[in-house]
Amino acid sequence: MIAAPALLVLAIMAPATGVVLAFAFGGRAAEWIAIATTVAGAAIAAGIAATLWSTGLPLRYVIGDWAPPLGIALRADGLSAIMLLTSAVVMGAVVLFARETFAQRPGAPETRTPLIFWTMLMGVWAGLNAVWLAGDLFTLYVALELLTFSAVPLVSLEGKPETLVAALRYMLFALVGSVLYLLGCALLYGGYGTLDLELLAHAVRAEPVTVLAAALMTAGLAAKTALFPLHLWLPPAHAGAPAAASALLSALVVKGSFILIVRLWFDALPGVAGAGAATLLAAMGAAAIICGSIVALRQARLKLMIAYSTVAQIGYLFFLFPLAGAAGHWSRIAWTGGMMQLVAHAVAKAAMFLAAGLIGEALGHDRIAGFAGLGRALPVVMLAFGLAGMSLMGLPPSGGFVAKAMLLTASVGEGQWWWAVVILIGGLLAAGYTFRVLAPALAGGPVPLVAPIPRSRQAIVLGLAVCALLLGLVPLRPSQLLEVGRPVAMAVSR
Amino acid sequence: MIWLGATVGVPLAMLLACVLPGVRYRMTNWLALAAVPGLGAALFASGASLDLPPLLLRLRLSLDGPGALLLGAAALLWIAGGVYAAAWLRGDARRGRIAVWWLLTLAGSLGVFIAADLVSFYLLFSMVSLAAYGLVIEGATPDALRVGLIYVALAIFGEALLLMGFVMLAVSAPDGASLIRDVVAALPASPRSNAILTLIILGFGVKLGMVPFHVWMPITYRTAPVPAAAVLSGAAVKAGVIGLIRFLPSGVALPGWGQVLVVLGFISAFYGVLAGVRQSDPRTVLAFSSVSQMGVVIAVFGMGLIAGDTGVALAAAFYGVHHTLVKGGLFLGVGLAPLAGAWRNRLVLVPAAIMALGMAGLPLTGGFLAKLAIKPVLGDGLAGLLGTVSSAATALLMTHFLFRVAALPKAAPAPPPGRDLRWPWLAVAVASVLVPWGLYPAVLGGSVTYALSASSLWRSLWPVLVGGGLGFAMQRWGGSVILVRDSNVIVPVSARVDRIMIGLGIAVERFDIVLREWPVAMLSLIAMAVALAVLMLAPI
């Protein structure tokens, strides 16, 4: 029996070991190593979540018994547990889905693309789990870099000139973000002599050096999260990648840097940011929702539309800062609602990108104008797309509905109704871009398909969409699991 | 109670069975069964309630008097509509898809009458509104897709308003309350009560076709396949009626809001008639009559709110029962008329005339009792007078409707499907008279002797004579004045709205392109960092 805290190390080590093994054993083994890693990773995530659920206490693992500030601590609170589980579910679906796309055919010579896909997939996962679990700002930096540098090759996997440009654009902008973040780390280390989240939380004062660090780090991380108007890299990168990779990038990778902002504001530097800065972030989020959705409505290609929808859906996450920033009942509702948006969007968006991948394979293109009759040719895929769209619109029963209802409740409860108006408009616009795809697909005669789509792959996409639907059963009250280890001292209130 | 669970559960189970293509294509034959548990619930489960197993969400279904009235009538119409659809869709390639949307709409339509908590009400309300989209776009007209788009845009807009209203209700309610009864009880005292009432009235107004949100109604009912138009116009629209019953405060006088509702209601009531008499397609005429009738219901709610009357719910529900059966039935009749051959007069026009003029209050019909039920609510003042005038106006509109049905081209002598369409049509026609007569003394406690007194018969008869006479006169001498033409206005208007939206979209897209240039993005990044630092240093 492994002691529960050791699971935290395993959660990072399992995919990291997978990366090494896949490089060592090469092409054909990589796929199976990835599958084994998925099973192990899911079990570890479930184990951590179950422990937190039953004890109601966060887990902590001090590496090599060297206590911070000298050593490194891993920490799992309710937020980590939820993110670990979400990553495991999305990873599982992506791995199953990608087996067809990135199989090394027996007898044929080995190709490079599958090897890169499977190793980078596990690299992304290792980075994600490290972000969810790391207990200090420098480990978080390393985790973030691992995440970015594993994600960039996934963008350019197809090797076409435009995807290479997109990958380069992504990497350069992410690099700028990293530099800002690292600068902030240096300032904090100079000021307080530690980067451990808990130790910092006790030491920080709202003085110029702290504020400068917080501002630089937040801006850098917002760039990596593609918060509007810092989203220049996201649409081409997410739309150009293969569907399985796009699902991963949109569902999970952008959430990594977002969670880092949450860690920074709520865990490491409580009371530094203030209401004005929180409002600025949420206002950028509101602009993301409105502009992202409208531009999504204008896209002629399905994958670009979905990518812009990601730009918009990221916006909702930033409502967390003004709404969950104060103490009290509404803030707890907002906390659960914001995290629910994170999870629901991850699952629904992954389902949508995978559905888009199948549509692209079946039709040989992804131009929305050519979708007439698709409902009859690929009913299961269109059903999955519709269910995922339902969650993005925030229609019940779906995870997106729970998220939006709770964010609405919090904004009304705290008297910040303007966020509620944006949430509602965002829902209408999301309905617009979903119906733009569904309406022609539901009408018209069947279209000829250039390639048959195996039922098993359709089932994976539908399964993911059904998960988004089932998230709608989560009760509309503060979640117990999410409250585990949540700092009482809140970010915004001073 | 098992009936309540089955009301929603059985149609959903049938929906699940549609996963199998073999079942899906045969499902149209069994559609009538889906609404049987709903009828059973209305008959046997009034007063019952059911807490769904508290897996994660806590949902509650329960049935009260007004809910049971509307549920029973809606279930009857869904059953008759199901039988009709089975014959109508025989051999139709669309029948599998129509069955799927039908069952989903049905589950929502019957479910809203028994939903007792906010979340399940919102869920079922969304279900009936959005699933109907699938029925609309299966229509045969070339612009079915655009009509569907207009419908769904308005439906989702209405739902957004309702969601905001519900959230504000929940926030204002005592901690942890989720039952509609409890949150609405806290509404009058809430500091947000005006905002909440605005949202709720507009939200349900969209569903009820309240002018100017009625634009979806005529085009939708004209486009959807006949059986679908019947259940949508008769049963699905009552989701708005039960919404007002559930969410308007009961027993508390809010005269200001009551007056607003009365004005809005009568605007719809008369606008519906004025627009309806200009239509040539009998289905469009019926749709405008729905706008008008739901306007009357809104006015009834308004009068109830002025007086703080608790009895208004039952009266409005009773009015709704009659409208469900008559309006749904008339659509079935319109579908049958071209196929009825030589029997058209006896088989279609005579029952249709009784039903249609019943809506205006023709004595001894079901509508006569419906008008009697709302009379005490409207009172003897201005509202009562307007109610009487609207009866006459309805008689005028319905006379016009009957002439339009008579003018429908005759198809070849009734093929077998045409024959099978007769029974559900006649059954609804009979029910539209018998059901109100059965309920009036039993549920409403109305006096039959009073109803049959000479004075009340005359009070109800003369508006029908006046309106009907005007209708005849217009057909006879004013044909060119009426300027019969179809109301296709909304479709080009929506195209114009499209162009404006596209213009806006292009502008935002250009803005986005500028923002995504490297120098601009880098400047944004720096500006953000500076702004954050400034805001953190100088707290507001």
Side-chain angles (χ1 to χ4, degrees):
Chain A
M1 182 65 203
I2 306 161
L7 285 176
L8 306 190
V9 184
L10 281 180
I12 302 170
M13 286 315 291
T17 315
V19 174
V20 176
L21 288 179
F23 268 127
F25 289 97
R28 290 203 179 86
E31 182 185 336
W32 288 103
I33 292 168
I35 292 171
T37 310
T38 313
V39 175
I44 295 166
I48 293 174
T51 312
L52 256 69
W53 178 260
S54 57
T55 60
L57 293 171
L59 284 173
R60 193 157 181 276
Y61 185 85
V62 181
I63 294 171
D65 274 338
W66 291 84
L70 286 178
I72 291 173
L74 297 179
R75 205 167 154 270
D77 55 8
L79 179 56
S80 321
I82 298 268
M83 293 317 297
L84 284 168
L85 282 177
T86 310
S87 320
V89 169
V90 174
M91 277 290 172
V94 166
V95 165
L96 288 178
F97 181 92
R99 287 187 63 192
E100 177 89 10
T101 327
F102 298 107
Q104 297 276 19
R105 310 282 168 212
E110 269 187 36
T111 48
R112 196 183 44 187
T113 316
L115 177 64
I116 294 185
F117 175 79
W118 293 115
T119 46
M120 289 307 131
L121 179 92
M122 287 181 280
V124 164
W125 199 1
L128 284 170
N129 282 356
V131 171
W132 314 144
L133 295 169
D136 68 282
L137 292 174
F138 192 76
T139 312
L140 280 168
Y141 170 73
V142 175
L144 201 63
E145 292 305 279
L146 176 57
L147 189 58
T148 309
F149 286 107
S150 306
V152 168
L154 286 178
V155 171
S156 59
L157 217 47
E158 284 179 356
K160 285 185 279 189
E162 67 265 27
T163 61
L164 286 175
V165 170
L168 206 60
R169 191 175 250 255
Y170 175 27
M171 200 173 73
L172 283 178
F173 206 62
L175 203 63
V176 176
S178 297
V179 167
L180 291 181
Y181 178 85
L182 204 56
L183 208 58
C185 279
L187 287 173
L188 284 179
Y189 194 73
Y192 302 102
T194 180
L195 288 174
D196 184 80
L197 295 179
E198 286 176 351
L199 295 177
L200 264 179
H202 290 114
V204 287
R205 295 168 305 276
E207 53 193 0
V209 60
T210 323
V211 162
L212 190 59
L216 290 174
M217 293 167 93
T218 307
L221 292 168
K224 287 195 168 215
T225 315
L227 174 62
F228 187 89
L230 310 176
H231 63 293
L232 81 163
W233 59 269
L234 190 145
H238 286 197
S246 305
L248 211 59
L249 296 169
S250 251
L252 297 174
V253 173
V254 286
K255 310 294 172 25
S257 41
F258 172 76
I259 289 293
L260 238 161
I261 306 181
V262 172
R263 291 278 185 230
L264 191 66
W265 281 46
F266 288 81
D267 289 356
L269 310 175
V272 170
T279 308
L280 175 67
L281 284 190
M284 292 168 73
I289 293 173
I290 305 289
C291 297
S293 302
I294 292 178
V295 180
L297 266 169
R298 297 273 313 146
Q299 297 308 312
R301 283 185 47 220
L302 181 60
K303 285 187 80 181
L304 263 175
M305 186 211 93
I306 304 176
Y308 267 103
S309 153
T310 299
V311 171
Q313 296 284 326
I314 286 170
Y316 291 100
L317 299 175
F318 285 85
F319 289 167
L320 196 68
F321 297 98
L323 293 177
H329 179 65
W330 304 122
S331 140
R332 294 172 60 219
I333 296 250
W335 180 255
T336 301
M339 292 312 153
M340 195 66 204
Q341 165 69 15
L342 224 157
V343 176
H345 174 251
V347 177
K349 190 48 64 73
M352 220 178 217
F353 259 125
L354 295 185
L358 290 184
I359 293 171
E361 281 178 36
L363 291 180
H365 69 82
D366 75 337
R367 290 185 303 278
I368 298 172
F371 282 4
L374 206 52
R376 222 163 300 175
L378 288 174
V380 176
V381 176
M382 289 321 289
L383 175 64
F385 187 91
L387 293 179
M390 235 173 88
S391 184
L392 295 188
M393 290 181 230
L395 284 178
S398 71
F401 169 70
V402 174
K404 270 165 212 176
M406 294 186 86
L407 287 174
L408 280 174
T409 305
S411 54
V412 172
E414 292 188 11
Q416 304 186 31
W417 52 267
W418 41 91
W419 308 130
V421 174
V422 177
I423 292 172
L424 290 176
I425 295 175
L428 294 180
L429 292 170
Y433 58 71
T434 307
F435 270 98
R436 226 183 110 233
V437 176
L438 283 183
L442 286 175
V447 284
L449 302 185
V450 298
I453 302 295
R455 289 207 169 185
S456 56
R457 298 183 83 200
Q458 303 192 21
I460 297 163
V461 181
L462 185 62
L464 213 48
V466 169
C467 281
L469 209 64
L470 290 179
L471 283 169
L473 296 176
V474 170
L476 293 167
R477 43 172 193 269
S479 146
Q480 268 179 320
L481 184 56
L482 268 174
E483 297 277 321
V484 172
R486 189 186 169 212
V488 186
M490 290 315 311
V492 171
S493 55
R494 260 181 216 178
Chain B
M1 273 299 286
I2 188 80
W3 286 113
L4 293 183
T7 299
V8 181
V10 167
L12 289 183
M14 290 171 74
L15 181 69
L16 212 58
C18 285
V19 172
L20 306 168
V23 176
R24 186 161 67 237
Y25 286 108
R26 253 169 261 149
M27 188 53 90
T28 36
N29 297 324
W30 306 320
L31 286 180
L33 295 179
V36 171
L39 186 60
L43 292 174
F44 308 122
S46 191
S49 71
L50 170 76
D51 286 304
L52 294 188
L55 183 69
L56 287 165
L57 274 183
R58 238 172 275 161
L59 300 181
R60 173 182 279 192
L61 303 176
S62 69
L63 191 58
D64 60 355
L69 283 180
L70 288 168
L71 173 64
L76 264 180
L77 179 63
W78 276 104
I79 292 172
V83 175
Y84 194 95
W88 185 269
L89 297 171
R90 203 167 293 157
D92 192 321
R94 300 170 300 171
R95 66 187 187 282
R97 274 171 293 150
I98 290 184
V100 167
W101 294 117
W102 181 282
L103 290 169
L104 201 56
T105 315
L106 186 153
S109 164
L110 300 185
V112 282
F113 301 124
I114 57 175
D117 65 291
L118 280 175
V119 173
S120 48
F121 186 93
Y122 187 73
L123 168 65
L124 291 159
F125 190 88
S126 312
M127 210 144 115
V128 58
S129 292
L130 296 183
Y133 168 77
L135 293 174
V136 175
I137 59 165
E138 292 302 341
T141 55
D143 55 9
L145 267 188
R146 173 158 284 274
V147 169
L149 207 62
I150 296 169
Y151 170 75
V152 85
L154 273 166
I156 291 180
F157 169 69
E159 258 151 60
L161 298 178
L162 283 181
L163 179 60
M164 189 65 188
F166 289 3
V167 162
M168 290 172 93
L169 268 175
V171 169
S172 308
D175 203 28
S178 67
L179 291 185
I180 298 173
R181 189 165 18 106
D182 299 339
V183 297
V184 173
L187 167 61
S190 160
R192 306 181 184 89
S193 66
N194 285 335
I196 295 173
L197 281 167
T198 309
L199 290 165
I200 279 176
I201 290 169
L202 292 180
F204 289 123
V206 173
K207 186 85 207 153
L208 288 171
M210 188 171 80
V211 175
F213 302 118
H214 69 288
V215 288
W216 63 268
M217 236 181 207
I219 50 175
T220 303
Y221 295 169
R222 191 193 59 221
T223 304
V226 168
V231 289
L232 292 182
S233 66
V237 78
K238 299 304 180 296
V241 175
I242 196 72
L244 289 181
I245 288 178
R246 296 268 185 264
F247 286 92
L248 287 180
S250 165
V252 184
L254 295 172
W257 280 105
Q259 283 159 7
V260 168
L261 277 180
V262 171
V263 170
L264 288 174
F266 278 119
I267 289 175
S268 282
F270 290 107
Y271 180 87
V273 172
L274 291 176
V277 291
R278 293 163 61 92
Q279 311 304 320
S280 66
D281 186 334
R283 294 168 68 179
T284 318
V285 181
L286 281 183
F288 274 111
S289 153
S290 281
V291 173
S292 168
Q293 290 296 303
M294 291 303 106
V296 173
V297 173
I298 292 171
V300 167
F301 279 112
M303 291 306 286
L305 208 53
I306 290 176
D309 181 1
T310 50
V312 67
L314 209 56
F318 185 74
Y319 198 85
V321 165
H322 176 255
H323 182 258
T324 303
L325 295 171
V326 162
K327 190 54 56 73
L330 285 175
F331 270 101
L332 299 182
V334 171
L336 177 59
L339 306 171
W343 287 80
R344 181 189 286 186
N345 284 353
R346 253 177 283 178
L347 189 67
V348 178
L349 276 178
V350 171
I354 295 172
M355 292 160 84
L357 293 175
M359 255 195 288
L362 182 70
L364 304 185
T365 61
F368 165 62
L369 295 176
K371 293 277 178 199
L372 271 185
I374 60 165
K375 191 159 179 33
V377 184
L378 290 180
D380 295 325
L382 182 62
L385 180 67
L386 287 173
T388 310
V389 178
S390 91
S391 291
T394 300
L396 166 67
L397 182 61
M398 286 298 104
T399 313
H400 173 66
F401 163 73
L402 290 168
F403 276 105
R404 299 315 308 169
V405 177
L408 281 176
K410 286 193 173 73
R419 273 221 298 279
D420 292 350
L421 299 175
R422 290 174 185 182
W423 301 114
W425 148 246
L426 289 174
V428 177
V430 171
S432 76
V433 177
L434 291 188
V435 169
W437 276 102
L439 294 173
Y440 184 67
V443 178
L444 240 62
S447 150
V448 175
T449 31
Y450 167 73
L452 292 176
S453 68
S455 70
S456 79
L457 286 174
W458 174 245
R459 263 207 309 273
S460 217
L461 181 61
W462 73 259
V464 180
L465 291 179
V466 171
L470 271 175
F472 263 100
M474 267 170 47
Q475 290 301 323
R476 186 74 184 78
W477 296 292
S480 58
V481 181
I482 308 176
L483 190 80
V484 170
R485 58 164 200 184
D486 268 325
S487 91
N488 263 332
V489 196
I490 181 63
V491 176
V493 166
S494 89
R496 206 172 311 150
V497 172
D498 265 14
R499 275 200 294 282
I500 296 171
M501 300 302 257
I502 287 172
L504 186 71
I506 291 172
V508 175
E509 207 180 0
R510 288 205 186 121
F511 178 55
D512 178 69
I513 290 170
V514 173
L515 288 178
R516 286 195 294 115
E517 281 166 14
W518 271 102
V520 181
M522 295 307 287
L523 270 179
S524 309
L525 183 57
I526 295 166
M528 182 191 173
V530 171
L532 278 173
V534 170
L535 285 168
M536 286 182 198
L537 277 174
I540 302 162

